[in-house]
Amino acid sequence: MSRIKNRGAVSGAPRRRAVALAAHLALAAVLAGAAALPAHAQAGSAAAVQADVPPGPLAQALNRFALQAGVALVVDAGQIAGLRSPGLSGAVTVEEGFARLLEGSGWRIGRTAAGYVLLAAPAAAGGEAGTSLPAVRASASRIQDPDATPEAYGRQTARGGRVGLLGNQDFMDAPFSTMSYTSELIADQNAKTLADVLQNDPSVRFMTPSGHMTENLEIRGFLVTAENMAMNGLYGVAPYGHVPTEFIERVEILKGASGLVYGMAPDGAVGGVVNLVPKRAGDTPLTRLTLDYEGASQAGLHADLGRRFGERGAFGIRVNAAYRDGGTEVDGQDKGRRLGAVALDYRGESLRATLDLYDSHEKTDNGTPLIVSFATRVLSAPDSSTNAFKGTHSEMDNSAAALRVEADLNEHLEAYAALGRRSTDYKGYINGTNAASVAADGSYSGVTVNQNGYKDSVSYEIGLRARFETGPLRHEAVFAVNGLSLESGMVYTRSARFGSNIYDPATPALAADPGKSPKTGETDLGGISIADTVSFLGGKGALTLGIRSQRVEDRSYSSTTGAKTADYDERVTTPAVGLVVKPWSPRLALYANYVEGLSKGDTAPVTAANANEVFEPYVSKQKEIGLKWDGGSFAHTLALYEIKQPSMVYDASNIYSVDGEKRVRGLEWTTMGAPRPGLRVLGGLTLARGELVHTSTGANDGNDAYGVPDWQANLGADWDLPWLPGLTVGGRVVHTDDQYLNSANTLRIPSWTRVDASLRYKTTIAGRATTWRGSVVNLLGKDYWSGPYHGEGYASLSQPRTVSLSATVDF
C-alpha cells in the first residue's frame, strides 16, 4: 500500500520568535534558580519517620517508605523482582526503616549526596551502609519510573504516571483523579486500539463506533477528540485517528481540566487528557511474537524486541512491528493496518534521553459503521453489523518523531527539553458519511462525503525543575515554556442524494475524489507556566500553586480561493491550585483542585449549514474534591467535581454556534487492584448531572446536556483458577444510562448494558513462555445506540459481538 499524497502547499514550522523567546526565558530561569537554591535539600536521616508500609513486593515497599520519609531512592526493580517485604509500621529512622524492609533479602541501602541507592549485601559489596557513592539522580517528591512497581494494583494499572508539568507522580500524591493502564492489561484484553483500553474506565465513553477511522471519546461528559491525545507529555505527536497499542507501555488518563499541567489542548478538550507512554527496553532482553485473529477473518502478527547495551545497560532500543488485515464484524467491511515503531533511550547518572519514532498506516474498504440522526423520534437499533455504506473506503497515514532530554545541572536543579513532529495524511470517507433525519420507518435520504486532508504539527517544551527547602517546607518548583504549531488542510465533495433504510440499506451514491487538499487552517498555541509544589507537615501535605499564560492564534483559509476567512489572536492567564493532605495515614489522601484553562474554539462539523466555521477560544473552569485510599495491592478514588464550558448547539436552521453554558456536576468512584491473591478488579461508577444554563433565549435553560447520562458504570474482574495454575477467567459489565441526543431534549436513546468475557492460559512450551488469550466483546450480541456521535443529534451504533484470539511466545 502506498502512502497517501494529497496535500497542497505546506508551510509549517514553529515560528523562530517563539523558539527564541523560549530559549531566553529558560536561560533566565536557570540563572535565577541557581542563585536562589539553598545549600542542602536532602532530609536528615536521623529524624524519626512514622512508617505505614503494608506487606507486598519489596520494590513497592521500598518506594512507599521513601515517599513517606521524604527521601530520594534509586532502585532497579528488576534486581529484586519476586522478593517480598513483611511491611513496616511505627516510628523509625530512615536507615532503620530501610534495614528492616531489606532484612534477609541479601540487599542493603547505601547513602549518596543526592539520596539512597540499593546495593548488594556488605559481604559482596565490601562496605558499610554509609559508604560514599557517586551522586545519583532521584526525587523525594515524585517517582521517576511509574513501572518500578509492576505488581502494584494487580498489574493492570501502574502505581504512578506523568502529570504533565508536574512530572511523574505517585498515584497518592497527585491532586487529580488519575489512572495508568499497563501494557499487561492491553495484552491480556487483546486491546488493539485506545478505545479497547479505555472501555475499562467508568468516566469514559466513546463517541465514534468501532470500525470508524477516528476515535473520539467523552470524559466526564465532555468531548475529547482524537487530536487531543498527548504522547510523552507533548500534544501533536500521538497518532491521529486510531492509536495502535502495540508500541504503548501505558495509557495514562488525567480526568478533568488540565490547562496548567498539559497546556491548551489542540481541539480544546476540558474533560480530561490521555497521555501515551511508549515502550522502553527493559533490563532483560526481550524477543516476543504474537499471532492474533479477530472479527470475521482478520489476522495479525506483532513482533516486540528489546535490548540494552553499554556499561550498566545505559543504551536501550525497543522495536515493535505489527501487520493486520482482513474482514471485520461489520458486514462486508475489510480493515488493514501496519505499524513500525522504534524507541531509543539513554539513562546516565545525570543525563537521560529518549527518542521515539513510529510510522502507521490504516485503511478500510467497502463500508463503515452506522451513524444516524432522527427526524422526530429515536428508533430501535438495527443489527450492529449493519453496513449502510458499502463501497466507501478510507486511508490514514501517521508518522512522527519525538525527542526528550533531561539533565541534572546539580543535585537541586534539572533542565529538560522536548521536541516532536507529526505528519498525518488521510483520504476517503473519513466522516460525514451518515444516515441523517431517519423517518419513523427507518428510511432516510443520504449523501456520502469524500475527503482529502492532512495535519502537520510541531511541538516543543523547555523547562526547569528545582528542588529546595525553606525552613520546614520542601519545594519542587517548575518553570516551562511550550508551544504547538499545527497546519491542516481539508477538501471534500458530496455525492448526490440517495434513498436508503437503516434496516435494509441500499447501495449508496459515492462522492467524487475531491483532489489535492490546499491549506485551510493554521493554529499556533504557546504558553508559559510556573508551578510550585510545597510539601509541609513532614510530608503529610502538599500544596501546588501554578499560573499559565496562554496564547492562541488561529487562521482559516478558503479551500477554493486560499483567501483568509477567519483570524483571531487571544491571550489569557489562568490559575491552578492543587492540594493533597494525608492527615491520618499515608494510605489515605484527601485532595482538591481548582483549574482554569483556555480552549481553542470549536469548528462547525461538515454536517452543519455553516460547515468549517471556526469559533473564538473560551475559558473553562473546574472545581474538584476527593479522596484516595491505598490498600497496598488495591486502591480506590472518590471524586466530586464541577466543570463549566460554553455550549455548542445547532439551531433550527442547522447553524452550529455558541449558546449558553454546559455545566456538569458529578460523583466518580474508581477501584483497581487485587483485593485478594489471584483476584483482580477494575472499574467504578459515575453519577453526573449535565445541565444547560444561560442559553441565549432561555428556551433550553435547565435542560440536560446531551451525551451526559445520569449514571454509567464498569466492573471487570480476573480470577486465577487455583485448581489449574496458569488459567485465568475474566469478565466485564459495562452500563450506560439513557441520555439525550440534542439540547432541546426531544430525542433520547435508551440505557444499555454490555457483557464482555475473557480467558487466558500461561504455560511453557519447549522451554518458551507461551500465553494463549481469548476475549469476546458484547458476548450476548446486543444491538443498541451506544451514545452520541461527535455533534449534536447523531447516535453511534453498538459494536457487534467481536471475538479475538491470540498466542504470544517469548523466545
Side-chain angles (χ1 to χ4, degrees):
M1 293 178 286
S2 61
R3 292 189 64 82
I4 301 168
K5 299 294 181 184
N6 61 20
R7 63 187 62 196
V10 178
S11 57
R15 297 182 175 180
R16 291 189 179 92
R17 288 180 298 171
V19 177
L21 173 63
H24 282 90
L25 289 171
L27 178 60
V30 169
L31 296 175
L37 289 171
H40 300 285
Q42 180 65 39
S45 61
V49 175
Q50 190 64 35
D52 184 6
V53 181
L58 181 57
Q60 179 176 324
L62 292 171
N63 184 67
R64 187 181 300 249
F65 177 68
L67 290 167
Q68 293 175 7
V71 299
L73 174 66
V74 171
V75 173
D76 182 350
Q79 293 179 314
I80 54 176
L83 298 181
R84 297 185 64 82
S85 167
L88 179 63
S89 180
V92 293
T93 66
V94 175
E95 277 80 7
E96 287 173 345
F98 281 130
R100 287 172 59 179
L101 291 171
L102 290 167
E103 186 175 358
S105 68
W107 296 88
R108 67 183 178 91
I109 286 292
R111 190 174 180 186
T112 78
Y116 293 85
V117 65
L118 187 67
L119 298 172
E128 298 301 321
T131 301
S132 179
L133 298 170
V136 294
R137 172 184 184 262
S139 169
S141 60
R142 63 194 178 105
I143 53 173
Q144 300 302 328
D145 181 7
D147 298 316
T149 54
E151 295 183 31
Y153 307 141
R155 302 186 303 274
Q156 296 179 324
T157 58
R159 172 153 193 94
R162 178 177 292 277
V163 188
L165 179 77
L166 304 181
N168 287 330
Q169 288 196 336
D170 185 86
F171 159 76
M172 294 291 290
D173 293 335
F176 304 96
S177 177
T178 62
M179 186 74 79
S180 298
Y181 297 101
T182 65
S183 58
E184 185 164 350
L185 175 138
I186 292 172
D188 285 344
Q189 294 188 353
N190 284 325
K192 304 298 191 303
T193 70
L194 187 65
D196 297 335
V197 180
L198 293 181
Q199 288 190 67
N200 294 285
D201 201 293
S203 298
V204 179
R205 290 295 183 265
F206 275 79
M207 304 183 76
T208 46
S210 172
H212 198 273
M213 280 298 285
T214 59
E215 289 183 324
N216 297 329
L217 59 146
E218 197 176 62
I219 305 176
R220 289 186 169 178
F222 290 88
L223 174 66
V224 179
T225 67
E227 186 62 77
N228 289 291
M229 308 302 164
M231 190 173 89
N232 264 351
L234 283 179
Y235 285 124
V237 182
Y240 177 74
H242 275 135
V243 175
T245 58
E246 287 88 355
F247 77 114
I248 300 300
E249 182 64 37
R250 289 192 315 279
V251 175
E252 302 173 341
I253 178 171
L254 186 156
K255 300 172 187 177
S258 56
L260 173 72
V261 294
Y262 277 99
M264 180 174 167
D267 273 354
V270 301
V273 60
V274 177
N275 182 56
L276 310 173
V277 180
K279 292 177 178 177
R280 304 271 175 246
D283 293 319
T284 303
L286 175 70
T287 303
R288 178 171 294 164
L289 192 66
T290 300
L291 297 169
D292 68 76
Y293 185 89
E294 181 177 279
S297 61
Q298 191 169 96
L301 176 65
H302 171 212
D304 186 359
L305 299 92
R307 296 291 188 276
R308 301 208 69 85
F309 306 94
E311 185 178 358
R312 299 180 181 177
F315 296 93
I317 180 171
R318 188 79 175 259
V319 178
N320 280 270
Y323 180 83
R324 180 168 292 106
D325 204 356
T328 73
E329 293 291 355
V330 176
D331 182 32
Q333 184 194 50
D334 286 327
K335 293 192 71 172
R337 189 179 75 182
R338 64 170 185 262
L339 166 73
V342 178
L344 306 172
D345 73 277
Y346 171 76
R347 56 187 194 194
E349 291 184 350
S350 60
L351 180 68
R352 296 156 301 281
T354 60
L355 175 62
D356 295 292
L357 307 103
Y358 71 81
D359 182 90
S360 68
H361 177 89
E362 185 171 8
K363 69 176 182 67
T364 64
D365 288 317
N366 195 36
T368 183
L370 186 61
I371 300 168
V372 308
S373 70
F374 302 97
T376 56
R377 63 184 180 90
V378 173
L379 308 182
S380 60
D383 191 295
S384 297
S385 63
T386 298
N387 186 346
F389 300 97
K390 290 185 177 180
T392 59
H393 54 82
S394 54
E395 292 186 53
M396 186 173 292
D397 286 319
N398 282 285
S399 60
L403 173 68
R404 180 173 288 272
V405 180
E406 300 175 353
D408 298 327
L409 305 181
N410 56 46
E411 62 179 300
H412 308 296
L413 188 64
E414 170 195 332
Y416 63 91
L419 178 66
R421 179 179 178 87
R422 187 197 67 205
S423 177
T424 299
D425 296 280
Y426 59 88
K427 68 177 183 180
Y429 302 84
I430 305 296
N431 54 42
T433 302
N434 45 58
S437 298
V438 176
D441 63 352
S443 63
Y444 66 94
S445 175
V447 297
T448 59
V449 181
N450 196 346
Q451 302 176 4
N452 272 0
Y454 71 90
K455 293 176 178 286
D456 281 348
S457 58
V458 177
S459 183
Y460 69 88
E461 182 180 23
I462 302 170
L464 289 164
R465 191 181 308 277
R467 304 177 184 92
F468 57 94
E469 293 180 358
T470 56
L473 304 179
R474 288 188 290 115
H475 298 259
E476 182 165 329
V478 188
F479 171 83
V481 178
N482 67 348
L484 170 66
S485 290
L486 177 65
E487 181 182 298
S488 59
M490 196 268 282
V491 63
Y492 65 92
T493 57
R494 296 176 182 269
S495 72
R497 288 205 163 269
F498 62 92
S500 189
N501 191 291
I502 62 172
Y503 302 113
D504 185 19
T507 301
L510 298 181
D513 187 335
K516 292 184 178 180
S517 173
K519 179 174 66 176
T520 55
E522 288 179 320
T523 299
D524 290 298
L525 309 177
I528 300 174
S529 301
I530 300 174
D532 186 14
T533 299
V534 184
S535 299
F536 53 90
L537 297 178
K540 290 184 177 180
L543 175 66
T544 299
L545 300 173
I547 191 168
R548 179 176 177 83
S549 177
Q550 179 72 58
R551 181 180 183 183
V552 53
E553 301 173 82
D554 196 87
R555 297 166 295 280
S556 299
Y557 304 91
S558 169
S559 61
T560 54
T561 67
K564 186 183 296 185
T565 57
D567 187 359
Y568 64 73
D569 185 344
E570 298 285 343
R571 293 177 183 269
V572 175
T573 299
T574 55
V577 180
L579 177 66
V580 178
V581 181
K582 304 173 184 177
W584 303 291
S585 165
R587 299 172 67 173
L588 178 65
L590 310 178
Y591 76 93
N593 64 67
Y594 173 79
V595 183
E596 289 185 5
L598 183 67
S599 299
K600 176 178 175 290
D602 276 351
T603 300
V606 296
T607 53
N610 57 332
N612 298 316
E613 180 180 349
V614 179
F615 298 91
E616 292 188 356
Y618 45 82
V619 175
S620 58
K621 300 178 181 180
Q622 172 182 285
K623 303 172 186 175
E624 180 178 0
I625 59 173
L627 62 86
K628 301 177 184 181
W629 183 74
D630 180 6
S633 61
F634 66 104
H636 301 275
T637 299
L638 186 67
L640 183 67
Y641 63 87
E642 177 187 83
I643 304 176
K644 297 179 180 180
Q645 181 191 48
S647 178
M648 306 298 297
V649 301
Y650 289 95
D651 65 14
S653 301
N654 199 34
I655 300 294
Y656 188 73
S657 62
V658 179
D659 184 20
E661 182 179 80
K662 176 180 178 180
R663 182 180 65 200
V664 177
R665 292 171 173 167
L667 178 65
E668 174 186 271
W669 166 65
T670 55
T671 184
M672 54 185 173
R676 56 173 295 176
L679 177 66
R680 292 165 295 279
V681 296
L682 182 61
L685 170 70
T686 296
L687 306 176
R689 169 72 167 115
E691 187 177 9
L692 298 177
V693 295
H694 309 307
T695 58
S696 59
T697 65
N700 292 329
D701 281 0
N703 283 3
D704 286 359
Y706 72 85
V708 183
D710 287 344
W711 71 284
Q712 55 193 40
N714 297 49
L715 183 59
D718 273 4
W719 181 32
D720 300 331
L721 298 183
W723 53 84
L724 184 55
L727 184 63
T728 300
V729 296
R732 178 175 61 196
V733 178
V734 182
H735 176 84
T736 300
D737 198 18
D738 58 283
Q739 55 192 301
Y740 288 106
L741 295 178
N742 60 347
S743 299
N745 289 181
T746 59
L747 298 171
R748 180 164 58 183
I749 58 176
S751 63
W752 56 268
T753 302
R754 194 188 74 219
V755 178
D756 306 331
S758 64
L759 184 71
R760 65 179 178 272
Y761 180 59
K762 295 184 178 182
T763 186
T764 301
I765 300 177
R768 306 293 184 188
T770 304
T771 304
W772 307 87
R773 299 179 176 95
S775 60
V776 184
V777 175
N778 195 1
L779 177 67
L780 303 180
K782 287 192 172 184
D783 305 317
Y784 53 89
W785 302 114
S786 60
Y789 175 59
H790 176 199
E792 184 177 357
Y794 287 84
S796 297
L797 188 58
S798 57
Q799 181 176 351
R801 180 191 292 118
T802 304
V803 178
S804 298
L805 305 172
S806 69
T808 299
V809 181
D810 288 353
F811 293 91

